[in-house]
Amino acid sequence: MKTSDFDFKLPPELLADRPSKNRDEARLMVVHKNTGEIEHKLFKDVIDYFDEGDVFILNNTKVFPARLYGNKEKTGAQIEVFLLRELDAESRIWDVLVDPARKIRIGNKLFFTEDDSLVAEVVDNTTSRGRTLRFLFDGSYEEFRRKLKELGETPLPKYIKRKPDADDAERYQTIYAKEEGAVAAPTAGLHFSKHLLKRLEIKGIEFAEITLHVGLGTFASVEVEDLSKHKMESEQISISEKTCKIVNHAIETKHRVCAVGTTSMRAIETSVSANKRLNPYEGWTNKFIFPSYDFGIADSMITNFHTPKSTLMMMVSAFAGYDLIMKAYKEAIKENYKFYSYGDAMLII
């Protein structure tokens, strides 16, 4: 398949810039892989499709406020600095993206506070917009991280043109987020409320947590027509022994295993054994899933509606079948479902 096969016309008004009023009352499209049937529900109705002993795999990564604004020395020009990953905690060296990038060269200094208590020096160029920064801060590592949090903004996707507010700090985060390290939310999980999780638990559904720290590579556009030549950026993942036991027991007892989000799916497919069992894993993944991929662990998944030609749309097409997903997306546009990070959800079962 080619990248152009995943193109479609997405009306701009269907890109959600705010979440639904209540997490679990976003709309839910239910897509049945075997019959091709499509149902229209609310997200809280997801409970009706699962039974005691079934398992939801949740990505417990936590988004940190990764977008900072600094001023360039001498000119005072405002520069956006997007923190991607910490390379060296002791030296306070980070991989970042800068905007506008053309103004930022090795040796430049950026000032983030009036009193110059937080300064960064550019020590390397990594890509056209990528830079490596060394932060200069007089204080302990804990104080330094607190300062980054205090100055940072919730890293809403670029398509949302408004400034993030207090509501975003809560809603652009799953309620089960624990392990800090993501620069974007695992958005399928944003629809779970505490109340819905409790109802699922009472019904006997189990939860298995993995960690995949979502990077911007997840949302990077595919620049090549031949999918086999696209390279995903690496993202850090962790799968525990406990999670493997829960998931493998469900497989062996013929219960459903539902991957909540493309990030959960990518993590589990990175560490699947030849006999289709989940193995513990600590490390990195650059796995790119597109048709016709053979999935090993989950038999259902929850996901949002993705943008044209995205790697996320390619993954769901691999899981549900290309023709069925194109039919479902056509229906979603006709029915005014909301797309992307704050959009509505799809259950593929």
Side-chain angles (χ1 to χ4, degrees):
M1 298 204 78
K2 303 190 294 291
T3 299
S4 52
D5 293 329
F6 297 90
D7 200 9
F8 63 93
K9 194 168 175 54
L10 177 60
E13 66 272 16
L14 296 187
L15 283 166
D17 74 340
R18 293 265 178 201
S20 57
K21 189 177 175 196
N22 299 311
R23 284 182 187 266
D24 58 14
E25 290 185 346
R27 295 169 74 193
L28 176 71
M29 178 185 281
V30 183
V31 177
H32 296 264
K33 284 192 288 183
N34 293 340
T35 64
E37 184 193 356
I38 291 172
E39 300 179 274
H40 303 288
K41 303 282 185 176
L42 292 181
F43 190 79
K44 59 189 179 185
D45 299 326
V46 78
I47 194 169
D48 299 333
Y49 297 88
F50 295 90
D51 294 309
E52 185 177 348
D54 292 344
V55 170
F56 279 19
I57 300 174
L58 309 175
N59 182 5
N60 66 11
T61 189
K62 189 172 186 180
V63 180
F64 65 91
R67 189 173 276 126
L68 304 172
Y69 293 93
N71 297 99
K72 192 180 170 191
E73 63 179 334
K74 294 179 185 162
T75 68
Q78 188 183 71
I79 306 294
E80 178 189 303
V81 173
F82 196 99
L83 302 172
L84 290 178
R85 65 179 68 88
E86 185 176 56
L87 298 179
D88 186 328
E90 198 178 337
S91 305
R92 293 172 192 173
I93 292 177
W94 285 70
D95 257 346
V96 305
L97 295 177
V98 292
D99 191 21
R102 68 184 186 281
K103 297 183 175 182
I104 303 302
R105 298 186 173 89
I106 293 171
N108 286 162
K109 282 199 170 84
L110 299 170
F111 294 82
F112 295 91
T113 54
E114 291 285 328
D115 62 2
D116 299 348
S117 60
L118 183 66
V119 181
E121 183 182 8
V122 182
V123 295
D124 199 7
N125 295 331
T126 51
T127 62
S128 58
R129 286 183 58 213
R131 302 291 184 271
T132 305
L133 298 187
R134 180 191 289 114
F135 283 95
L136 311 169
F137 179 79
D138 226 0
S140 69
Y141 178 73
E142 289 69 27
E143 289 167 326
F144 166 63
R145 290 302 297 246
R146 268 201 301 276
K147 181 58 80 174
L148 288 183
K149 263 192 186 158
E150 178 193 314
L151 296 172
E153 274 184 3
T154 301
L156 293 180
K158 278 286 195 184
Y159 80 88
I160 297 178
K161 302 302 180 196
R162 60 180 178 80
K163 292 289 274 181
D165 54 30
D167 193 38
D168 294 306
E170 182 207 342
R171 293 297 302 271
Y172 195 65
Q173 194 84 270
T174 64
I175 58 164
Y176 46 78
K178 288 181 192 144
E179 303 293 336
E180 192 171 83
V183 299
T187 53
L190 297 180
H191 303 294
F192 286 91
S193 63
K194 283 181 182 162
H195 180 62
L196 178 57
L197 280 182
K198 181 51 75 178
R199 286 176 62 217
L200 288 162
E201 192 184 320
I202 290 166
K203 194 170 181 180
I205 287 141
E206 293 194 75
F207 305 109
E209 295 186 6
I210 59 93
T211 305
L212 181 145
H213 291 316
V214 190
L216 288 182
T218 296
F219 307 106
S221 55
V222 181
E223 305 291 350
V224 289
E225 183 68 352
D226 179 351
L227 296 185
S228 66
K229 292 187 165 53
H230 177 68
K231 297 285 183 285
M232 294 284 282
E233 279 186 41
S234 291
E235 293 167 310
Q236 195 173 5
I237 62 175
S238 173
I239 304 172
S240 69
E241 185 78 53
K242 179 184 174 188
T243 284
C244 295
K245 280 182 181 163
I246 294 169
V247 170
N248 293 336
H249 181 258
I251 294 169
E252 282 148 20
T253 53
K254 305 282 193 289
H255 284 95
R256 283 197 184 281
V257 175
C258 180
V260 177
T262 56
T263 59
S264 294
M265 185 69 88
R266 198 158 67 255
I268 60 178
E269 287 299 323
T270 295
S271 194
V272 57
S273 68
N275 64 340
K276 300 199 170 181
R277 297 295 181 270
L278 187 60
N279 292 329
Y281 186 84
E282 292 285 337
W284 296 77
T285 182
N286 62 353
K287 193 165 194 67
F288 175 34
I289 296 174
F290 58 93
S292 50
Y293 181 83
D294 181 25
F295 291 83
I297 301 292
D299 56 14
S300 51
M301 82 179 290
I302 293 167
T303 187
N304 278 23
F305 289 91
H306 306 296
T307 48
K309 300 198 284 189
S310 62
T311 60
L312 312 177
M313 188 190 174
M314 291 164 188
M315 182 196 287
V316 296
S317 299
F319 189 71
Y322 173 79
D323 292 336
L324 181 53
I325 285 297
M326 294 312 280
K327 174 187 161 189
Y329 271 51
K330 198 173 174 183
E331 176 99 348
I333 291 166
K334 184 178 138 218
E335 296 293 331
N336 288 316
Y337 275 77
K338 294 292 188 185
F339 279 65
Y340 216 30
S341 299
Y342 271 154
D344 294 313
M346 176 189 280
L347 168 64
I348 304 168
I349 203 156

